[in-house]
Amino acid sequence: MLRLTEIKLPLDHDPEAIAQAICQRLKIQPDELLEYQIFKRSYDARKKSNIYLVYIFDVRTTKDQALLKRFKKDPHVLPTPAMAYQMVAQAPENCATRPLVIGMGPCGMFAGLMLAKMGFRPIVLEQGKTVNERTKDTFNFWKKKGEFNPESNAQFGEGGAGTFSDGKLYSQVRDRQHYKRKVLEEFVEAGANPEILYIAKPHIGTFKLVGIVQNIRKTIESLGGEIRFQSKVKTLELENQQVKGVTLENGEFIPSSHVVLAMGHSARDTFQMLHDQGVYIEPKAFSVGFRIEHPQPLIDECRYGEFAGNKILGAADYKLVHHCQNGRSVYSFCMCPGGLVIGATSEEGKVVTNGMSQYSRNERNANAGIVVGITPEEDFPGHPLAGIELQRRLEARAFELGGRDYSAPGQLVGDFLAGRSSESLGQVKPSYAPGVKLTDLSTALPDYAIEAIREALPAFDKQIKGFAMADAMLTGVETRTSSPIRIKRGQDYQSINTQGLYPAGEGAGYAGGILSAAIDGVKVAEAIALNILQGE
């Protein structure tokens, strides 16, 4: 097949226009075009008066080889690369080795799935509940109909933190081996809309993710894997810094010489346990800040002009960055078009914000984290887990400012910039559940972060008119942008000082978001499979 790139069509083009554009580009007759598939569909909105779609097609014609020769100097007509995933290994019959996977978030889920598909019958240990039970606990907490459960919330439970998010499935991971495609194909097989295979910025949405996560679990179990919920690992069992298994909080010992650490960026007690047991951990940079909310129509108008509301474009997003005079960088993080700000704490007496969208992205507000980058060298030197303690201090302060009932502290942007406490809401109604208490956010973050955000908001307003509108809403605090630690591993994906231990995904410092975490899970599963076969 041939891969055609940079095929441009109007937003409202007819379905027949695709075949016509392909034939025109290749200078062939309609009967010479046998089939085509959309590999990617994006849009160019640099000129709001002329927004158009940009396609990449995989095409089969009656004369592919002749066309390749004719267009051999054209970078937009090339052979379609081989993208089919090939299993790197298959477990031998009656293989006694069963890998353990700690965590059932995107990384652990895909590590478990791929190990199961290769015949290794993994055991997946998740400290939280099933996705249905977890969703009930989390929504009850948000609606103030239930107590906060530190083991079942927006961070912990089947599906991981990504379940309560926008469900974005794109990343900047370099992917010459087409792992992204494999992950997306597995999501489609589990029930996701096939459009995620070709739209430029695919997302699933929270409610759809719930069913998809359940289907992946069923696949793992049907292939001989085992998933145990409410099974928290208390200790690693080591012998000469070689993994021999794990012991659960209930005292049960589960033997295994291959353990995947895929527990997510909020597993602070597990990080402490690993450090206490001598597993090498180093501190890592992350970011802190607030969530900001605007009316979604304002963002749509600024980004799309007269095309705002177009069904193909959907709710508009943005990506912003500003380099401040104090040396800090402020940027938008995890932007959720038409979404909600949610309570994402995993510990009692703490307040944490995050963003979430459904597939429709039709809520009234747009929200995003506005965060400041911080580093261990400059902001939390010393102990490898010092970043966690900084997070906890900021989250505890947010709990106090919010009234100590899990409401979040909030402030209007106009008041924040003017340095005065907010007394009443304006046009933008905050979406954060369990609730918002208006206050002064100037003590919610370190002074350098407040200074940087105050400088960045007017700068962002020059890119998106109205971004610094007085009635826009800030809610605090955003601290779980990425893991504050890295569990360092070698090229074999094993811990640099603990054999048989495979740190993976976002919690270990090797991913950021659903897609990159899932890809890392696939790669770790491959490494384990090859290692097991070498030892058989």
Side-chain angles (χ1 to χ4, degrees):
M1 297 184 80
L2 310 179
R3 175 156 291 176
L4 273 62
T5 61
E6 290 294 309
I7 302 294
K8 301 173 183 178
L9 290 170
L11 281 176
D12 58 352
H13 71 77
D14 294 327
E16 295 79 13
I18 291 178
Q20 293 171 3
I22 292 171
C23 291
Q24 183 177 1
R25 181 69 186 80
L26 292 176
K27 300 176 182 178
I28 61 175
Q29 297 300 312
D31 60 357
E32 294 177 309
L33 175 62
L34 299 178
E35 65 172 307
Y36 69 84
Q37 298 171 358
I38 301 173
F39 177 72
K40 185 177 180 181
R41 187 190 73 197
S42 58
Y43 59 84
D44 189 325
R46 288 175 291 181
K47 293 182 180 179
K48 291 188 288 185
S49 61
N50 182 31
I51 299 177
Y52 54 85
L53 297 175
V54 182
Y55 285 98
I56 299 176
F57 295 111
D58 287 326
V59 175
R60 189 163 68 90
T61 74
T62 58
K63 48 184 182 181
D64 286 0
Q65 294 304 315
L67 289 171
L68 283 173
K69 290 180 180 179
R70 183 194 302 176
F71 292 99
K72 63 182 179 180
K73 294 184 179 180
D74 189 334
H76 301 300
V77 181
L78 298 169
T80 297
M83 296 181 295
Y85 180 80
Q86 302 293 326
M87 294 288 185
V88 300
Q90 188 65 36
E93 191 173 347
N94 301 319
C95 178
T97 302
R98 296 190 71 182
L100 297 182
V101 179
I102 302 174
M104 186 59 176
C107 179
M109 186 164 56
F110 271 82
L113 177 65
M114 299 311 296
L115 285 166
K117 288 197 169 191
M118 289 185 281
F120 288 98
R121 302 181 302 115
I123 300 172
V124 183
L125 303 173
E126 169 56 53
Q127 73 178 66
K129 299 181 181 180
T130 66
V131 70
N132 274 344
E133 295 175 296
R134 172 197 181 197
T135 299
K136 182 178 179 180
D137 290 341
T138 303
F139 275 67
N140 281 342
F141 167 64
W142 290 343
K143 296 175 182 177
K144 296 189 174 181
K145 292 183 179 179
E147 295 293 323
F148 171 70
N149 185 340
E151 304 293 349
S152 182
N153 47 63
Q155 303 292 348
F156 297 144
E158 185 180 21
T163 303
F164 299 104
S165 70
D166 186 53
K168 296 180 184 68
L169 294 175
Y170 49 93
S171 77
Q172 296 178 344
V173 172
R174 303 181 85 179
D175 188 35
R176 295 187 180 93
Q177 295 176 285
H178 308 291
Y179 284 108
K180 293 181 187 177
R181 186 78 176 184
K182 174 59 177 174
V183 169
L184 294 178
E185 287 173 348
E186 292 293 347
F187 274 123
V188 169
E189 187 175 329
N193 190 322
E195 72 175 12
I196 69 172
L197 293 173
Y198 63 82
I199 59 175
K201 295 182 178 181
H203 77 284
I204 295 179
T206 290
F207 285 160
K208 290 183 179 291
L209 268 171
V210 168
I212 290 166
V213 167
Q214 289 175 312
N215 289 337
I216 292 176
R217 181 218 307 166
K218 291 175 183 177
T219 299
I220 294 171
E221 292 173 333
S222 72
L223 294 170
E226 182 181 347
I227 300 172
R228 301 189 189 184
F229 295 102
Q230 296 176 273
S231 297
K232 189 171 184 177
V233 174
K234 182 180 180 181
T235 58
L236 288 177
E237 298 303 328
L238 305 175
E239 184 176 304
N240 298 321
Q241 225 45 35
Q242 165 73 50
V243 170
K244 297 299 180 181
V246 302
T247 297
L248 304 183
E249 275 198 337
N250 64 8
E252 180 185 1
F253 169 69
I254 305 175
S256 181
S257 56
H258 297 77
V259 175
V260 181
L261 288 175
M263 60 283 174
H265 60 38
S266 294
R268 294 166 171 173
D269 49 358
T270 303
F271 298 155
Q272 184 68 59
M273 176 268 288
L274 294 169
H275 181 263
D276 292 344
Q277 291 197 256
V279 176
Y280 182 83
I281 294 176
E282 60 187 19
K284 185 181 73 62
F286 61 104
S287 301
V288 297
F290 303 125
R291 276 273 144 183
I292 193 167
E293 292 186 86
H294 300 90
Q296 183 63 49
L298 180 147
I299 306 299
D300 294 342
E301 175 66 26
C302 289
R303 299 286 287 160
Y304 298 149
E306 64 184 80
F307 293 97
N310 182 279
K311 289 185 178 180
I312 291 179
L313 296 176
D317 62 4
Y318 56 79
K319 188 174 183 179
L320 303 168
V321 63
H322 177 70
H323 302 289
C324 301
Q325 292 182 1
N326 68 359
R328 303 286 175 168
S329 292
V330 180
Y331 63 97
S332 59
F333 168 77
C334 188
M335 194 274 159
C336 294
L340 303 170
V341 181
I342 62 169
T345 186
S346 58
E347 294 182 336
E348 294 178 335
K350 309 289 192 299
V351 164
V352 181
T353 62
N354 195 15
M356 180 182 87
S357 296
Q358 301 299 349
Y359 176 77
S360 61
R361 289 176 164 174
N362 62 359
E363 298 291 342
R364 63 178 181 267
N365 291 345
N367 77 75
I370 299 296
V371 297
V372 183
I374 59 176
T375 65
E377 295 80 11
E378 191 171 3
D379 303 305
F380 48 98
H383 196 278
L385 306 184
I388 294 173
E389 293 311 308
L390 174 58
Q391 288 177 323
R392 281 175 166 153
R393 288 197 302 272
L394 297 177
E395 294 163 13
R397 177 59 178 158
F399 183 74
E400 293 176 8
L401 289 171
R404 304 183 65 82
D405 63 354
Y406 293 101
S407 295
Q411 188 174 16
L412 276 64
V413 165
D415 293 331
F416 176 76
L417 293 176
R420 60 175 177 260
S421 180
S422 291
E423 302 295 336
S424 60
L425 295 173
Q427 175 187 351
V428 180
K429 307 303 180 187
S431 62
Y432 177 90
V436 170
K437 179 183 177 182
L438 293 177
T439 185
D440 180 356
L441 289 174
S442 63
T443 63
L445 296 174
D447 290 344
Y448 59 78
I450 297 296
E451 177 186 355
I453 294 173
R454 281 178 172 156
E455 180 184 325
L457 292 176
F460 292 157
D461 195 80
K462 295 177 181 178
Q463 300 178 60
I464 298 178
K465 191 63 178 175
F467 199 87
M469 64 183 287
D471 284 358
M473 190 73 203
L474 292 171
T475 309
V477 290
E478 187 96 358
T479 52
R480 311 288 181 93
T481 51
S482 68
S483 182
I485 60 102
R486 177 173 286 111
I487 306 172
K488 199 168 182 180
R489 68 190 186 193
Q491 292 184 346
D492 60 358
Y493 291 89
Q494 297 184 60
S495 161
I496 61 170
N497 75 335
T498 307
Q499 287 296 300
L501 188 65
Y502 293 79
E506 193 158 354
Y510 291 98
I514 294 172
L515 184 59
S516 61
I519 289 171
D520 205 50
V522 175
K523 292 179 178 179
V524 166
E526 292 179 341
I528 288 174
L530 293 173
N531 185 273
I532 291 174
L533 291 187
Q534 289 173 3
E536 286 288 324

